[in-house]
Each structure stands twice: as C-alpha cells, then as structure tokens.
Amino acid sequence: MQKINLSIVIPSLDTGGAESMAYQLAKKIDKDIFNLNFICLYSSNGTPFEKELINSGVNITHLNKKLGFSLITYLRLWKQLKIHHSNLVHTHLGACLYAFPWTLFHNKKLVHTVHNVPLKELPFLHRIILKILYRSKKAIPIAISDTIQRQISTYYQLKTENIQVVYNPVNIDLFIPSKTTVNNGGIKFICVARLVNQKNHFTLLKAFSVVNKKIPTSTLLLAGDGELMEELKKAAIKLNISKHVVFLGNVENIPMLLQTSDIFVLSSIYEGLPMTILEAMGAKLPVIATRVGGLPDIVKGNGILVEPNDSDGLASAMIQLAEDKHLRQKMGCLGFEMSKKYDISIIANQYEAIYKKFSL
C-alpha cells in the first residue's frame, strides 16, 4: 500500500499545549501508513519535545523564520512541501498563514486544529484567510472540544457537521501515580500554565491568600514561565503568601509534580482545552478550573468549575476540596476514568482517519 505523504507544520516546539499535542501525534502516528514530514517555522531551541521526537525517529525541518512577516519562509515551506509531495498538510497556530498558498495551488486539503477560542487563537488576517478557506472547503477545521466546535461554527459561520472534533491527547502511562508517589506534607495545590495574562494567576494568588489563612500548611506550586513572573512574585509578597507559593519556572518533571500534589487549579480567563487539565486527570487529581472554553466539556463531576475572575468562588472551591479527602479521591478517580478516552493512542487513530479521508 502506498503511504500517505503527510506534513505537520507548526511555528515551533516550545513548551505549550498546541506544541505538546503536535509532538504527541507525530510520535504516535502509524509510520507504516504515513510518510511524515514535520516542519517548524522557527529555529531549533533544543526543547524536550524536539529531543524526544528526534529520538523516536521523526525528522524535524526548521525553516529558521525570524519574528514578523517573512516572505522567505513562504518560499522555504513551499519547497519542503513540494519535495515531500505532500498529500495533506496539517497546521497548528500561525503556521496556516504560510502553508495555505501551497495547498491552494496544488489542490490539496489543509487541516487546521483550532487550539483556542476562535476569536483569540490567531491575529485578524489569519482568521480572515481561514474563514475563506473553510467556507470554500479548501481547509478543514478541527475543534479540540464540543464547545470549541460550536464557537467555530458561530464565528466562521460554518455548519457543525463540517467541523471535525478531536479532543486533545494525554499519554496516560506517564501520569498514573505509583504507590510510592505520596504527598506526606500539607495540601499541595498545583497550577501548570504559562505566566501570562490569559492564565490569570493574580486571581489565583488572591484566592490562595484566603485559603492559606484558613489552612496554613497549604502550598501553591506554579509550574511555568512567562512575562509576568516578577509581577506575580511581588503580588505574592504583597499578599503575605510568598513563603507558601513556589515558582518553579519551566520544568520537565510535570508527571512527578502532579503525582505528588493534591489538587489541580487553573484560573484562566479564556481557554481552548488545556492539556494540563487532561494530564491532571491522568494523575488522578481533582480539578478546579474556570468555566471557559472547552473546560465544561471535561470537568463533569471530576472537579469544580467557577466563574473567571471570581477569587472568592475559587477560594471556596479550593478550601472545600482541601478539607474533604474523600471528595478529592472520588473526583480524582472519576477524572482518571474519563481521561482514558483521551489517551494518545485513541486520539492518534481519530486523526489518522481524518487524514485518510481528506488525502483522497
């Protein structure tokens, strides 16, 4: 059987949800069926995702794009797709802007995964181009949750049946807690997210200051880096919780951190479907998150949803779970069972079916 020439194109393999999804998919996809061409627009940063993909035998081509619009990147990507004789191109984030001319000229389908709320995912020009491509059926949108599918339908004025839904993946085997990973200290809350405005850590810190007064042995772990690091550290000092908040920066041992924590918290003001929520579910952690994006699609009985920017509601939920071990365990077990249907082996099969359908 002749292999399908598939190109996956993404800006980079830096730490992030879209990058994690693309990396997991590229690693898992059936190489006996697909001849994979993995392309990053920017230069190599030697990230863990890059290293693991290379170690698994996936070749990565870097186009060395600089910041801002780049005509040379169009030409370099065109050349790569031509050499590969791509039957289908799967783009993520802003890579769609550079891939669509080749797919249009060669009458090939562009598959684009929408990783966030449509209005927030990409700059205006990208969205205009995608709308034209979607409505002319030259590009296929993939939503990462049912809620995001409805938002794509409304924003781009598409019929829902023309929007594929494939949830984000999680590698369950990496996150299942072992019998030796036990938290012997006080209650540990953990948030894994970039330190940027979208994730709204200031509301989380304000909520935790209330929690810590009631439960002095509690700790908040913040895994992730970003532009707000110093401001958040100052906020923690101002709230008198700096001794109980640990800024970990970018870390590679996320599975171990989750396995030795008690409660996962995410206070975003908007989201698509965060990979970290699925990972927390895989680690049997109860989840507290804001009612935004695709989160209501996966937080059903396995956690508590609160309104964005509601620090009092967030604090109340954190205290409730901190004081009820039985409820934590019940929610954690339910979340773990739910996470199994998002295992990367299942999600990869769903993407493979889409690739086969649209590469004809």
Side-chain angles (χ1 to χ4, degrees), residues 190 192 221 223 248 251 253-261 285:
I190 183 167
V192 182
L221 306 178
L248 298 168
V251 293
N253 62 332
I254 296 298
M256 179 62 73
L257 282 172
L258 292 173
Q259 291 160 2
T260 54
S261 298
L285 289 186

Side-chain angles (χ1 to χ4, degrees), residues 195-197 200-206 222 224-242 245 247:
L195 305 183
V196 295
N197 284 321
N200 199 13
H201 288 84
F202 291 106
T203 292
L204 177 55
L205 290 178
K206 186 177 179 181
L222 299 179
D225 204 349
E227 60 201 38
L228 297 179
M229 173 74 82
E230 294 307 315
E231 287 185 53
L232 289 166
K233 286 182 176 180
K234 291 176 182 177
I237 293 172
K238 188 175 181 179
L239 290 166
N240 200 30
I241 54 174
S242 59
V245 179
F247 290 86

Side-chain angles (χ1 to χ4, degrees), residues 260-325:
T260 54
S261 298
D262 299 291
I263 301 165
F264 186 90
V265 190
L266 190 67
S267 52
S268 305
I269 53 177
Y270 65 90
E271 280 290 356
L273 187 74
M275 305 283 293
T276 53
I277 294 282
L278 297 172
E279 292 168 353
M281 290 164 61
K284 295 187 177 182
L285 289 186
V287 170
I288 299 173
T290 43
R291 190 177 282 102
V292 294
L295 287 170
D297 295 328
I298 59 171
V299 182
K300 299 178 178 179
N302 57 315
I304 301 173
L305 290 175
V306 300
E307 296 304 319
N309 294 310
D310 182 5
S311 61
D312 291 336
L314 188 59
S316 177
M318 293 168 74
I319 291 170
Q320 180 185 354
L321 287 186
E323 294 182 334
D324 194 335
K325 183 177 181 180

Side-chain angles (χ1 to χ4, degrees), residues 16-175:
E19 293 82 0
S20 176
M21 177 263 160
Y23 139 76
Q24 290 189 61
L25 180 60
K27 187 175 179 182
K28 191 69 176 180
I29 198 168
D30 191 338
K31 307 305 188 299
D32 291 330
I33 299 176
F34 297 93
N35 177 25
L36 178 61
N37 185 27
F38 197 97
I39 302 172
C40 290
L41 301 185
Y42 288 92
S43 303
S44 170
N45 289 327
T47 65
F49 292 157
E50 285 185 24
K51 293 175 183 176
E52 287 199 42
L53 267 190
I54 293 170
N55 289 339
S56 68
V58 174
N59 181 60
I60 305 173
T61 300
H62 294 273
L63 303 185
N64 304 318
K65 180 183 179 298
K66 306 300 181 183
L67 291 176
F69 176 79
S70 171
L71 180 59
I72 191 66
T73 302
Y74 274 108
L75 301 176
R76 288 171 178 169
L77 180 56
W78 186 292
K79 181 179 179 181
Q80 285 296 320
L81 296 175
K82 180 180 179 181
I83 291 172
H84 185 247
H85 300 289
S86 299
N87 303 116
L88 187 75
V89 180
H90 184 185
T91 60
H92 303 267
L93 306 175
C96 58
L97 182 67
Y98 290 88
F100 86 88
W102 190 90
T103 58
L104 278 181
F105 186 83
H106 292 86
N107 197 29
K108 303 295 182 181
K109 284 290 193 295
L110 178 80
V111 173
H112 180 74
T113 296
V114 180
H115 287 278
N116 213 319
V117 177
L119 182 62
K120 301 284 188 179
E121 185 202 22
L122 293 169
F124 180 71
L125 176 61
H126 293 64
R127 286 181 268 135
I128 289 295
I129 291 171
L130 281 176
K131 184 174 184 177
I132 295 170
L133 294 173
Y134 290 156
R135 292 177 66 80
S136 62
K137 297 186 178 180
K138 297 296 184 180
I140 311 301
I142 299 182
I144 56 174
S145 80
D146 296 302
T147 297
I148 297 301
Q149 181 195 41
R150 292 191 294 271
Q151 292 180 353
I152 293 171
S153 175
T154 300
Y155 184 81
Y156 288 110
Q157 299 176 316
L158 304 172
K159 294 180 179 179
T160 54
E161 56 263 33
N162 293 329
I163 305 167
Q164 307 291 312
V165 179
V166 183
Y167 276 62
N168 274 338
V170 60
N171 188 344
I172 295 295
D173 293 340
L174 293 179
F175 295 93

